[in-house]
Amino acid sequence: MSVNKQTVWLVTMLSVMVVLSAYYIVTGPVEPARQVAQTAKETDSDVNVNIKPIDEPVSSDKKTEEMLEQANSDFFVGYQLQRSTLRQKMVEEYMQVLTNPKSSEKELEEANQKIQQLMKIDNQETVLEELIRKEGYKDAVVVTNNPHVDVIVQSEKLSKKQVVRLISLVRQHLQVDPQNVSVAYR
């Protein structure tokens, strides 16, 4: 018995979607990050960077710090889960076109290209998040909204040098203009 590659891929994606949906249901909804982003404008002489945290800790006792650490971890996991869920819904819509026998060849080709593009973006974001973690950050989330890219890192603060390094990583791996990259920390 020969199994079509698309069928195997569809079943795999649906399984991933079910697992992610179950996790989302268990953890509850996650608030999106505030639009506190910063800009990096490169000039001939220097880089002008404004650095602002997404949320600042109010208290410094040990129990509060542990709670903030857990909240930060949940924030990044939730944000990544929210991004994955949204992508899975988009892939599911395109898969419906692929599995519809009434779809034209043009629609099939377009849906296939969109799915491949989403997979490529998802892979690039995952690789970039891992590279950012290797830079010494506890966690990171990268969200691509063509042509803009948002990067949120888990850190107590960011220096201008760190922001420039993060923008450089995004530019190198996603071929994005530095003016279209926002970096924030939480």
Side-chain angles (χ1 to χ4, degrees):
M1 180 173 148
S2 176
V3 178
N4 188 350
K5 288 182 183 180
Q6 287 180 342
T7 305
V8 172
W9 190 82
L10 174 63
V11 170
T12 304
M13 286 296 120
L14 290 175
S15 300
V16 169
M17 188 177 73
V18 168
V19 170
L20 290 175
S21 297
Y23 181 80
Y24 183 73
I25 289 169
V26 170
T27 61
V30 177
E31 296 295 319
R34 280 191 274 150
Q35 201 59 331
V36 178
Q38 62 179 9
T39 59
K41 297 179 181 177
E42 292 187 16
T43 61
D44 293 338
S45 60
D46 64 338
V47 176
N48 180 16
V49 179
N50 296 322
I51 304 170
K52 295 180 182 176
I54 291 180
D55 287 321
E56 286 214 19
V58 179
S59 176
S60 62
D61 68 348
K62 190 171 184 172
K63 211 170 206 179
T64 304
E65 286 181 18
E66 289 174 7
M67 289 174 54
L68 286 172
E69 182 79 23
Q70 180 63 35
N72 278 339
S73 177
D74 290 346
F75 171 82
F76 288 96
V77 169
Y79 213 93
Q80 291 164 345
L81 181 62
Q82 186 177 14
R83 180 188 67 202
S84 294
T85 303
L86 180 63
R87 289 254 166 79
Q88 288 301 323
K89 286 180 183 179
M90 293 170 71
V91 167
E92 185 179 319
E93 289 174 17
Y94 296 129
M95 288 303 291
Q96 287 176 354
V97 173
L98 289 175
T99 57
N100 185 356
K102 297 179 182 179
S103 296
S104 68
E105 248 182 73
K106 182 180 179 183
E107 291 173 327
L108 292 173
E109 182 64 30
E110 187 177 302
N112 195 25
Q113 287 177 353
K114 295 280 187 177
I115 290 172
Q116 289 178 2
Q117 181 182 8
L118 285 173
M119 300 289 271
K120 179 181 175 186
I121 289 171
D122 191 50
N123 186 39
Q124 288 173 332
E125 288 174 343
T126 303
V127 168
L128 189 55
E129 288 171 357
E130 190 60 37
L131 287 172
I132 291 171
R133 286 185 202 101
K134 287 182 180 180
E135 289 285 319
Y137 298 97
K138 292 180 182 177
D139 208 347
V141 69
V142 177
V143 180
T144 304
N145 299 318
N146 284 337
H148 193 76
V149 176
D150 295 316
V151 178
I152 305 170
V153 295
Q154 186 174 356
S155 178
E156 291 189 24
K157 66 178 189 171
L158 287 176
S159 68
K160 289 182 180 183
K161 186 176 181 179
Q162 290 172 312
V163 172
V164 171
R165 176 67 182 141
L166 290 169
I167 291 172
S168 174
L169 278 173
V170 172
R171 182 177 175 198
Q172 181 180 17
H173 292 280
L174 299 178
Q175 289 78 37
V176 176
D177 198 27
Q179 286 80 15
N180 292 329
V181 179
S182 295
V183 177
Y185 65 94
R186 179 179 166 102

